[in-house]
Amino acid sequence: MADDLGDEWWENQAAGAASSPGASDGEGGDTDVTQQETAPVPALSKETQQPKECFLIQPRETKEDATKTRKRRKKKITDVLAKSEPKPGTPEDLQKLMQDYYSSRRAVIELEELNLPDTCFLKANDLTHSLSSYLKEICPKWVKLRKNHSEKKSVVMLIICGSASRALELIRSMTAFRGDSKVIKLFAKHIKVQEQVKMLEKRVVHLGVGTPGRIKELIKQGGLNLNPLKFLVFDWNWRDQKLRRMMDIPEIRKEVFELVEMGVLSLCKSGSLKLGLF
């Protein structure tokens, strides 16, 4: 009986030792960990491989591409004129502008009737003249002409420009030429057309400086008679802050051509009126 109890006690001790934590942390446990660490990772098959991220590199935009994609900007007259050297106006320039303006509005036969005779043109300014020196050159007998002029509601010489401010500038710059001549401002700024009609009716005027729009209006209202007119000078070569000449502005160009048709053309053809390009 004692032997049986002793055998049972030894068996229990052996079983307890086998199940204790020390036994599981022995040499056998270390071997398992080492095997897990050194074992090679099996390669993934093509079917199980993870997709790689791709980054597309955008090509650099060249100046050429930027120019193509950028919205095309219309060429302005200032862009063209800023790169070109100033050239004096010629009678051919005026003739061509008239033909271009009326080409879509008139028949071929009518266009021929709009041609100004070459004999009506005076020598154009070659960009070396002041206004006074130019007027003296084209009209050397000015003193005699103004003394013989006695008709009201008319002038001997008209100078046409693009704006009121330019008209004032021209009046100031012709002091050496005009002398005692009576000058009238023919533009719309701060001056009513009826006031100008009264001034023309009241006294004899020799020189008129103004814009084509107001001159047209005075002719329509009977305030200005063109028949005694001897010289018509266009302020052709002067450019404003935007480098535009008077005839580069569509509204002014239109009014000039309408004025030409209102009596200037017939006077030129009759030989009584001369044209100058300053």
Side-chain angles (χ1 to χ4, degrees):
M1 184 73 175
D3 292 335
D4 292 338
L5 289 170
D7 293 337
E8 189 177 350
W9 183 84
W10 283 109
E11 285 175 5
N12 289 338
Q13 289 295 322
S19 60
S20 64
S24 63
D25 294 335
E27 192 175 345
D30 293 340
T31 305
D32 292 341
V33 172
T34 305
Q35 286 176 351
Q36 287 178 6
E37 290 176 354
T38 58
V41 179
L44 293 172
S45 65
K46 289 183 181 178
E47 294 180 357
T48 59
Q49 281 182 357
Q50 294 295 327
K52 294 181 179 180
E53 290 187 61
C54 295
F55 297 94
L56 296 176
I57 300 173
Q58 294 290 340
R60 285 187 179 180
E61 189 179 40
T62 61
K63 287 183 181 179
E64 229 176 38
D65 297 332
T67 306
K68 286 179 183 177
T69 54
R70 196 183 299 133
K71 189 178 179 182
R72 287 186 179 179
R73 186 172 64 90
K74 271 189 176 180
K75 278 189 178 181
K76 293 183 179 180
I77 191 167
T78 48
D79 299 331
V80 177
L81 294 176
K83 297 176 182 177
S84 62
E85 293 183 4
K87 293 180 181 179
T90 63
E92 291 76 20
D93 292 337
L94 177 55
Q95 298 275 33
K96 187 178 183 305
L97 280 175
M98 284 189 67
Q99 291 295 320
D100 291 344
Y101 178 80
Y102 286 111
S103 60
S104 60
R105 297 171 172 83
R106 302 290 173 86
V108 178
I109 298 174
E110 291 176 318
L111 285 174
E112 290 176 0
E113 293 175 357
L114 289 171
N115 286 332
L116 292 161
D118 294 336
T119 53
C120 76
F121 286 98
L122 298 164
K123 184 181 178 181
N125 177 23
D126 59 0
L127 304 183
T128 62
H129 283 285
S130 66
L131 181 58
S132 284
S133 68
Y134 177 68
L135 295 180
K136 284 178 181 179
E137 182 174 303
I138 65 171
C139 184
K141 298 180 181 180
W142 172 249
V143 176
K144 184 179 179 180
L145 279 171
R146 71 176 176 80
K147 283 181 178 178
N148 292 337
H149 179 66
S150 58
E151 192 171 339
K152 294 178 182 178
K153 297 172 66 175
S154 66
V155 293
V156 180
M157 181 183 287
L158 262 180
I159 300 175
I160 297 177
C161 58
S163 66
S165 58
R166 178 58 180 165
L168 293 172
E169 187 180 334
L170 289 172
I171 291 171
R172 288 192 295 268
S173 67
M174 67 166 69
T175 307
F177 170 78
R178 71 183 188 184
D180 297 329
S181 306
K182 301 296 181 186
V183 182
I184 186 169
K185 303 168 188 174
L186 301 177
F187 49 78
K189 193 173 184 180
H190 306 310
I191 307 175
K192 293 180 179 179
V193 66
Q194 290 304 324
E195 292 176 10
Q196 291 166 334
V197 170
K198 287 177 182 178
M199 284 189 282
L200 287 164
E201 288 174 343
K202 188 177 179 181
R203 60 180 184 176
V204 174
V205 180
H206 308 104
L207 265 166
V209 184
T211 56
R214 177 47 61 93
I215 293 168
K216 264 175 49 192
E217 189 60 33
L218 287 166
I219 295 169
K220 281 181 183 178
Q221 295 197 19
L224 181 63
N225 177 19
L226 291 182
N227 289 329
L229 186 65
K230 300 301 178 188
F231 297 93
L232 178 62
V233 178
F234 294 100
D235 183 32
W236 190 275
N237 297 297
W238 182 80
R239 297 182 187 276
D240 62 14
Q241 290 181 345
K242 295 181 179 179
L243 299 178
R244 300 174 302 177
R245 297 173 304 175
M246 174 181 76
M247 298 299 280
D248 292 326
I249 303 170
E251 297 81 9
I252 301 294
R253 185 167 62 243
K254 177 177 177 288
E255 289 175 343
V256 166
F257 293 147
E258 289 175 354
L259 177 60
V260 168
E261 283 196 277
M262 290 178 73
V264 171
L265 183 60
S266 59
L267 290 172
C268 286
K269 288 183 175 181
S270 69
S272 64
L273 179 62
K274 299 297 181 183
L275 303 181
L277 304 179
F278 171 63

